[in-house]
Amino acid sequence: MKKVDKGFTLTWLGHATFKLVTKTGTVVLIDPWVEGNPACPKEQRVFEKIDVMAITHGHGDHIGDAATLAKKHQPTIVCIPEIGHFLQGKGVRNTAGMNKGGTQTVKGLGFTMVHALHSSGIDDGGHMVYGGDPCGFVITLEDGTRIYNAGDTSVFSDMALIAEIYAPDVAVLPIGSHYVMSPREAAVAARLLKPKWIVPSHYGTFPVLTGTPDEFRKELERQGVSAEVVVLEPGQSLS
Ligand code: NI
Ligand code: MN
């Protein structure tokens, strides 16, 4: 456990999947990919409950278990309408579609959808389906703490607007390179976002994801960015 004395627990389930438990016990699963996720510890693949599911885009490493877990736990699913439409077609209920710049309150938590620079096709059994735009989320907790989950993205200058408008306390940033930012771009993102804590994600899962937290720390230092990097192992939490 990494102690930050905040009223939440953010557990990395490996790759881009996170479980957020807020101080009132609300469970939010972000980008559900557990069964086929080689980085997800076995004991983290089982859930007592899921109240909310937040989905950043349609790639398999982000929605792989969305339909299965949604049918089992009946969470409210916060996502772009195209992903919601796709999941409804798979028999999922309670999709709460939204779009960028908007905020909705679900189970007492604020979900603001923000931009991400990536793609978002959905592989539906070998057939590519339109998944709308990829996105990130700023989640506002009961006590006002804000967690920015960037989703899969490159760095983009409008991250400065995310900082200006939402001033996130925690930023979850992909650093693995190849499909997402490398440590170099992620350090620029950190400079624009100015979070207190950064949790690196989307690295180490496959050989092509070459970015490492050590490199990321070096880049932050080289670029003169001060933020605490909280490196988790899959199954470990920031709380
Ligand atoms: Ni992706
Ligand atoms: Mn991905």
Side-chain angles (χ1 to χ4, degrees), residues 15-16 31 33 56-57 59-62 118 151-153 174 179-180 202 206 209:
H15 196 60
D31 283 349
W33 185 46
T56 63
H57 66 292
H59 292 161
D61 56 325
H62 298 257
H118 193 65
D152 280 7
T153 191
Y179 298 112
V180 293
H202 214 288
F206 315 112
L209 302 179

Side-chain angles (χ1 to χ4, degrees), residues 3-59:
K3 290 283 180 200
V4 182
D5 291 327
K6 281 285 180 191
F8 66 88
T9 304
L10 183 68
T11 305
W12 191 30
L13 305 193
H15 196 60
T17 305
F18 284 84
K19 184 172 74 176
L20 170 67
V21 182
T22 72
K23 69 176 175 191
T24 60
T26 300
V27 178
V28 181
L29 186 63
I30 303 162
D31 283 349
W33 185 46
V34 293
E35 282 308 327
N37 181 349
C40 184
K42 283 263 183 312
E43 66 277 11
Q44 297 288 349
R45 298 178 185 189
V46 182
F47 300 88
E48 227 168 84
K49 65 164 187 164
I50 303 167
D51 298 303
V52 186
M53 208 178 255
I55 296 173
T56 63
H57 66 292
H59 292 161

Side-chain angles (χ1 to χ4, degrees), residues 56-57 59 62 100 114-120 132-137 148-159 162 173-174 178-182 185 189 192 202:
T56 63
H57 66 292
H59 292 161
H62 298 257
K100 294 175 187 178
V114 296
H115 188 54
L117 196 52
H118 193 65
S119 65
S120 186
D133 248 26
C135 74
F137 288 106
Y148 168 51
N149 186 305
D152 280 7
T153 191
S154 176
V155 64
F156 51 94
S157 56
D158 285 355
M159 282 178 173
I162 294 173
L173 300 178
H178 200 95
Y179 298 112
V180 293
M181 298 188 280
S182 79
E185 289 81 11
L192 296 171
H202 214 288

Side-chain angles (χ1 to χ4, degrees), residues 165-218:
I165 303 170
Y166 312 110
D169 301 283
V170 179
V172 176
L173 300 178
I175 65 160
S177 194
H178 200 95
Y179 298 112
V180 293
M181 298 188 280
S182 79
R184 182 183 178 188
E185 289 81 11
V188 177
R191 174 157 57 75
L192 296 171
L193 290 160
K194 305 184 187 76
K196 295 186 194 80
W197 300 287
I198 301 170
V199 179
S201 74
H202 214 288
Y203 70 91
T205 326
F206 315 112
V208 295
L209 302 179
T210 53
T212 64
D214 277 352
E215 261 179 83
F216 180 46
R217 280 206 178 97
K218 276 182 203 140

